[in-house]
Amino acid sequence: MWLLLPILLYSVIFLAVRHIYSHWRRKGFPSERAGISWSFLHQAYRREFRHVEAICEAYQTGRDRLLGIYCFFRPVLIVRNVELAQTILQQSNGHFNDLKWDYVKGYRRFNLLEKLSPIFATKRLSEMFGHVQRVGDHLTAHLLHLEQAQGRALELDLQQMLRVYAINIIGNLIYGLDVNNFEQKDHILSSYVSTGHASLQSFTLRRLPQKSSFTYRLRDLIKQGVEHREEHGLIRKDILQLLIRFRNGNDISGDKWQIDMDNEQDKLLSIKRVAKVAEELLKVSLDSVSSNITLTLFEILQEPLIVEKLQTEIKELSVENGLLKFEELEGLKYMDMCLKETNRKYPPLPIIERICRKSYTLPNTKFTIDEGKTLMVPLLAIHRDERYFSEPMKYKPLRFLHTEKSAECQSSAFIGFGIGGAQCVGQNFAKMVIKVALIKVLQNFHLELDAALMENIEISHQPAPFIRTKDGLKVRLKRREIKPKFYSYAKSKLGSGRNSFSC
Ligand code: HEM
């Protein structure tokens, strides 16, 4: 009898596991043989398992457009064809609603992100640009100060500096604070930079932890900001101001900034919800922005011609009293291509994940995915797939010069900001702040990569989900004397060379 019990228990577990691991085969989907090995359990226990790499490997096996795999006990469907992925992301919104962004007004349910998207409209961003420049100037001033104190070429970890820049952007624009974490090292936001998401082991945005020990302290910051502005009718042109306007039922798609107060019971968002939105924005923007700048610099510093070309483009900007003009950022076409190429090669978010809320027949296929099951679009693997981008591991910004499909690449396979209704709402904001940082750094400094770093650099999504370099980005940095001759040389060499220039 006592012997039978463990045998029975073992059999039940065995059958249950076998049932889970046969999900895709039973549904007729192409799938891989599944099982749990000791090495997997060991890595998972030590939090060393590399989800992103494992999913990319699965993407590379076989040729089917879809592949059923298992993330531990979770059946996951990977889309391995970019056209199919794009169609799904564009057309399937009703089937993959993300409850995180739901909010209810009256008897109707809305998607909060959709409602908040006017915050990132061009007109709004242009008016927030002053704050962004100031944060950019803090970065320059800090680097100049360090360089001066050193008295010779300064060696430093630029990745860390850029994380501070990104958190300063978040502090100033999202939390509405005049904060400079290069100086105020004891600020709560500074501790966010150093601790970061070290404890995260998820690999998509959907699985970011909902609460951390910072949540309550960040909520206090928002509470103070909201109450202060509502009580005194203050105007500060930033994201928080527009969140407060939205909370009070004011239109945010126009151009007004002042807050027309609503009764407490009529407010659309509680302070707690505003704080939650702000923290979500912090989580999605901190690493994505800082990694994009860091990895752009990492790549271009290996190609002096790219640096020259960017510096030539920057030189064309008209600067009045040290201030850049927002409208001119759009003219930085070559820089745009570099940012896109960085986002292609190193998408900060490697996988787009959707959880099926009601069963969905995948377009142009015979397959139906059931409610509750997960679908993944592996951006990293698609962006590094030779079928879509020739020589995918080469950094070639000019591949995005051709918008239409060309023999060399299909730039339309780029989905670094997502696509369709749920694509990244903050992409224009991201481009603006990334460009300002690059302008400030390239305008003011000569940079050289640490040679040892170039050989041993490890760029990974560990800890997931965001990408970063394991040991930072060590560079030698020297103040730049701007010589007009350099520019005329660079211009004559590069200006006409679009077609002959391969990077
Ligand atoms: C280079 C920088 C960035 C990249 C590459 C990026 C990329 C992405 C991607 C791929 C998604 C998922 C889209 C989908 O699910 O279909 C996303 C979602 C999102 N992004 Fe960005 N993003 C960047 C910066 C930012 C910034 C600066 C903000 C805001 C200030 C932002 C706000 C958001 C939000 C709110 C979402 C939705 C998140 C969710 O569904 O939980 N992003 N982003």
Side-chain angles (χ1 to χ4, degrees):
M1 169 70 189
W2 291 113
L3 195 64
L4 267 179
L5 211 63
I7 293 176
L8 201 67
L9 193 68
Y10 176 81
S11 311
V12 170
I13 295 174
F14 176 80
L15 288 175
V17 171
R18 209 172 70 159
H19 182 75
I20 294 171
Y21 284 149
S22 62
H23 174 85
W24 295 120
R25 196 168 37 80
R26 278 184 284 117
K27 295 278 165 188
F29 281 84
S31 62
E32 62 173 17
R33 250 179 70 92
I36 295 185
S37 64
W38 281 114
S39 82
F40 166 76
L41 285 176
H42 183 69
Q43 284 172 352
Y45 176 73
R46 294 174 61 100
R47 299 191 147 217
E48 281 170 0
F49 185 70
R50 301 193 166 221
H51 300 94
V52 177
E53 281 82 348
I55 287 165
C56 287
E57 261 173 44
Y59 173 94
Q60 281 153 7
T61 53
R63 286 272 141 220
D64 294 296
R65 293 192 300 164
L66 296 162
L67 178 71
I69 62 161
Y70 301 89
C71 288
F72 213 46
F73 289 122
R74 189 161 61 119
V76 167
L77 189 64
I78 301 187
V79 185
R80 294 198 297 190
N81 173 282
V82 78
E83 281 91 12
L84 181 59
Q86 288 172 336
T87 316
I88 293 171
L89 293 177
Q90 273 167 329
Q91 296 177 358
S92 60
N93 247 355
H95 296 267
F96 297 101
N97 282 348
D98 190 355
L99 304 177
K100 187 168 77 181
W101 293 104
D102 268 11
Y103 96 106
V104 178
K105 186 180 166 191
Y107 295 106
R108 293 187 63 191
R109 193 175 282 276
F110 293 90
N111 179 282
L112 189 56
L113 263 190
E114 229 171 272
K115 293 275 168 198
L116 294 178
S117 62
I119 290 180
F120 301 102
T122 310
K123 178 82 174 60
R124 292 296 195 189
L125 294 184
S126 73
E127 296 190 56
M128 295 181 202
F129 190 55
H131 292 302
V132 179
Q133 290 218 61
R134 199 160 31 79
V135 176
D137 289 337
H138 289 156
L139 172 69
T140 319
H142 183 70
L143 294 177
L144 284 173
H145 171 76
L146 290 179
E147 199 242 17
Q148 233 164 16
Q150 183 94 352
R152 59 193 154 84
L154 169 72
E155 283 175 27
L156 85 169
D157 174 7
L158 205 52
Q159 176 167 261
Q160 181 63 12
M161 294 295 142
L162 293 168
R163 281 177 69 76
V164 179
Y165 167 78
I167 201 79
N168 277 350
I169 288 283
I170 291 163
N172 276 267
L173 276 295
I174 301 177
Y175 283 83
L177 304 165
D178 289 315
V179 63
N180 175 3
N181 288 286
F182 287 117
E183 287 171 6
Q184 292 160 262
K185 299 218 162 66
D186 54 349
H187 196 274
I188 153 91
L189 289 170
S190 280
S191 33
Y192 209 97
V193 174
S194 42
T195 328
H197 302 300
S199 61
L200 282 194
Q201 281 298 315
S202 64
F203 49 101
T204 73
L205 288 183
R206 314 278 156 211
R207 301 197 160 256
L208 288 175
Q210 294 306 301
K211 270 192 189 139
S212 72
S213 56
F214 289 105
T215 299
Y216 300 100
R217 295 169 71 192
L218 292 175
R219 192 186 293 170
D220 285 343
L221 287 184
I222 290 289
K223 188 168 182 297
Q224 285 161 13
V226 173
E227 288 176 352
H228 192 59
R229 291 188 197 193
E230 284 184 344
E231 261 168 46
H232 302 282
L234 295 181
I235 296 181
R236 190 178 184 276
K237 294 186 177 176
D238 55 27
I239 293 173
L240 180 62
Q241 187 80 15
L242 296 174
L243 288 176
I244 301 175
R245 269 183 67 80
F246 182 81
R247 159 178 151 85
N248 282 286
N250 305 161
D251 178 24
I252 54 168
S253 58
D255 53 7
K256 278 191 180 171
W257 288 90
Q258 89 250 18
I259 300 156
D260 302 321
M261 289 279 286
D262 238 344
N263 292 328
E264 200 55 44
Q265 64 271 26
D266 293 334
K267 303 243 193 255
L268 294 182
L269 300 179
S270 63
I271 289 187
K272 195 170 154 192
R273 190 77 201 263
V274 174
K276 202 165 167 225
V277 171
E279 198 181 349
E280 285 302 328
L281 294 179
L282 182 158
K283 284 180 196 162
V284 292
S285 53
L286 172 62
D287 288 81
S288 55
V289 164
S290 59
S291 75
N292 194 286
I293 313 170
T294 307
L295 293 168
T296 301
L297 286 169
F298 169 66
E299 285 290 344
I300 66 173
L301 292 180
Q302 298 173 58
E303 296 278 356
L305 268 176
I306 301 188
V307 176
E308 283 182 26
K309 196 160 183 178
L310 284 171
Q311 285 174 332
T312 308
E313 208 176 47
I314 292 169
K315 179 74 193 324
E316 295 291 311
L317 299 173
S318 50
V319 183
E320 267 173 39
N321 303 326
L323 294 179
L324 299 163
K325 289 188 179 146
F326 174 81
E327 322 73 76
E328 290 189 3
L329 291 191
E330 213 185 308
L332 296 169
K333 296 293 177 209
Y334 187 66
M335 191 180 282
D336 268 325
M337 288 187 258
C338 291
L339 302 187
K340 210 165 172 185
E341 179 65 345
T342 309
N343 196 350
R344 176 196 69 79
K345 191 170 169 191
Y346 308 106
L349 189 72
I351 291 158
I352 291 181
E353 181 181 318
R354 296 279 186 270
I355 295 174
C356 205
R357 302 280 167 219
K358 55 181 172 192
S359 70
Y360 174 62
T361 303
L362 297 150
N364 312 321
T365 71
K366 57 180 180 5
F367 299 114
T368 298
I369 176 168
D370 296 337
E371 184 185 334
K373 294 292 172 283
T374 305
L375 183 138
M376 283 184 183
V377 176
L379 289 196
L380 181 70
I382 289 176
H383 283 180
R384 292 184 182 183
D385 186 338
E386 270 200 325
R387 289 178 298 167
Y388 305 126
F389 297 97
S390 65
E391 300 182 291
M393 292 316 286
K394 277 207 172 150
Y395 189 80
K396 297 198 291 184
L398 283 186
R399 65 171 89 236
F400 291 108
L401 188 59
H402 316 283
T403 44
E404 68 274 42
K405 287 183 184 179
S406 73
E408 194 192 346
C409 76
Q410 295 178 335
S411 54
S412 59
F414 172 82
I415 35 177
F417 287 105
I419 193 166
Q423 66 179 289
C424 175
V425 279
Q427 55 186 292
N428 291 334
F429 178 74
K431 284 180 204 158
M432 169 175 77
V433 301
I434 291 169
K435 279 182 177 174
V436 168
L438 283 176
I439 293 170
K440 297 285 175 188
V441 171
L442 295 175
Q443 223 173 21
N444 291 290
F445 301 100
H446 280 295
L447 301 160
E448 230 177 79
L449 276 183
D450 185 317
L453 173 93
M454 269 156 63
E455 276 166 27
N456 303 320
I457 194 157
E458 189 186 330
I459 301 171
S460 72
H461 290 83
Q462 198 76 351
F466 295 104
I467 195 161
R468 66 178 78 182
T469 63
K470 185 165 167 263
D471 300 311
L473 185 72
K474 306 267 167 31
V475 295
R476 205 162 300 115
L477 178 143
K478 202 162 174 270
R479 181 193 294 238
R480 184 159 170 255
E481 303 295 337
I482 301 171
K483 294 188 195 115
K485 230 173 129 198
F486 162 77
Y487 284 111
S488 45
Y489 160 76
K491 259 178 99 172
S492 63
K493 193 162 178 217
L494 303 166
S496 59
R498 270 197 158 172
N499 297 330
S500 56
F501 188 56
S502 66
C503 26

